[in-house]
Amino acid sequence: MPQKLVIDTDPGIGDALAIALALLDPEVDVVGITPTAGCVTGREASHNVQAIVGLLDPPKWPRMGWTEGTSTTSLISGGPNPRILNGRTGLGDLETPVAEPHQRHESAKLLIDLVRTHPHELTFLTLGPLTNLELAQERHPELLAELKALVILGGSMNHC
């Protein structure tokens, strides 16, 4: 049985590759993707998630969240600017026309809905800032206990 996965992402080029690999892996069932602001703005992250999934057109589409947050690139000092690494759109300079969703599902709320639908079955993979996880945990304090697993891609710059 495929592993149920929710990917939380601020999709630049690396995150786009991770999303593509997960969507195309028969051992993974990506049930949701929750964009977050990070190396791109929330609107750009939401747009990029739609574009990546649309370009891949997987047999089963995940539920997709939406966010409006601002980019956290200004918080990074002394390191490479994510815009230089990921290009103007976050996906290089790729222009990806996508339609605005009619019903936007806030990323943190979508995460809560998915956990309630699949208690103790979901692995939550964070590839960007933990904003959505924090908001979802504040609103639904049992969230972490109801996840099967939490995998955080984390790190720091200029710290030992």
Side-chain angles (χ1 to χ4, degrees):
M1 175 179 277
Q3 170 62 53
K4 291 183 185 326
L5 181 68
V6 177
I7 301 173
D8 191 66
T9 178
D10 61 335
I13 295 169
D15 288 11
L17 179 60
I19 293 167
L21 290 172
L23 286 172
L24 300 175
D25 187 334
E27 295 183 21
V28 176
D29 179 12
V30 179
V31 296
I33 303 176
T34 54
T36 188
C39 72
V40 294
T41 67
R43 180 173 279 283
E44 290 169 324
S46 300
H47 177 93
N48 287 352
V49 164
Q50 285 183 284
I52 294 162
V53 174
L55 288 168
L56 292 171
D57 193 20
K60 179 185 174 222
W61 280 49
R63 292 184 63 193
M64 291 181 272
W66 185 271
T67 190
E68 290 284 341
T70 58
S71 172
T72 59
T73 58
S74 61
L75 302 176
I76 300 171
S77 62
N81 181 333
R83 292 286 184 178
I84 293 170
L85 298 173
N86 292 296
R88 182 177 40 80
T89 68
L91 300 176
D93 291 327
L94 181 65
E95 291 295 331
T96 52
V98 297
E100 290 284 323
H102 293 286
Q103 292 184 349
R104 295 179 181 168
H105 301 282
E106 182 203 8
S107 290
K109 183 181 181 317
L110 176 60
L111 174 57
I112 293 167
D113 292 346
L114 290 170
V115 166
R116 286 180 173 158
T117 303
H118 306 282
H120 309 289
E121 296 179 24
L122 293 178
T123 296
F124 188 57
L125 170 64
T126 67
L127 302 176
L130 303 177
T131 310
N132 291 330
L133 181 61
E134 177 185 18
L135 289 172
Q137 178 67 25
E138 285 176 1
R139 294 177 189 167
H140 182 60
E142 300 81 27
L143 180 93
L144 293 176
E146 292 177 357
L147 288 172
K148 178 179 179 181
L150 173 61
V151 179
I152 297 174
L153 171 66
S156 64
M157 298 180 76
N158 300 327
H159 296 284
C160 296

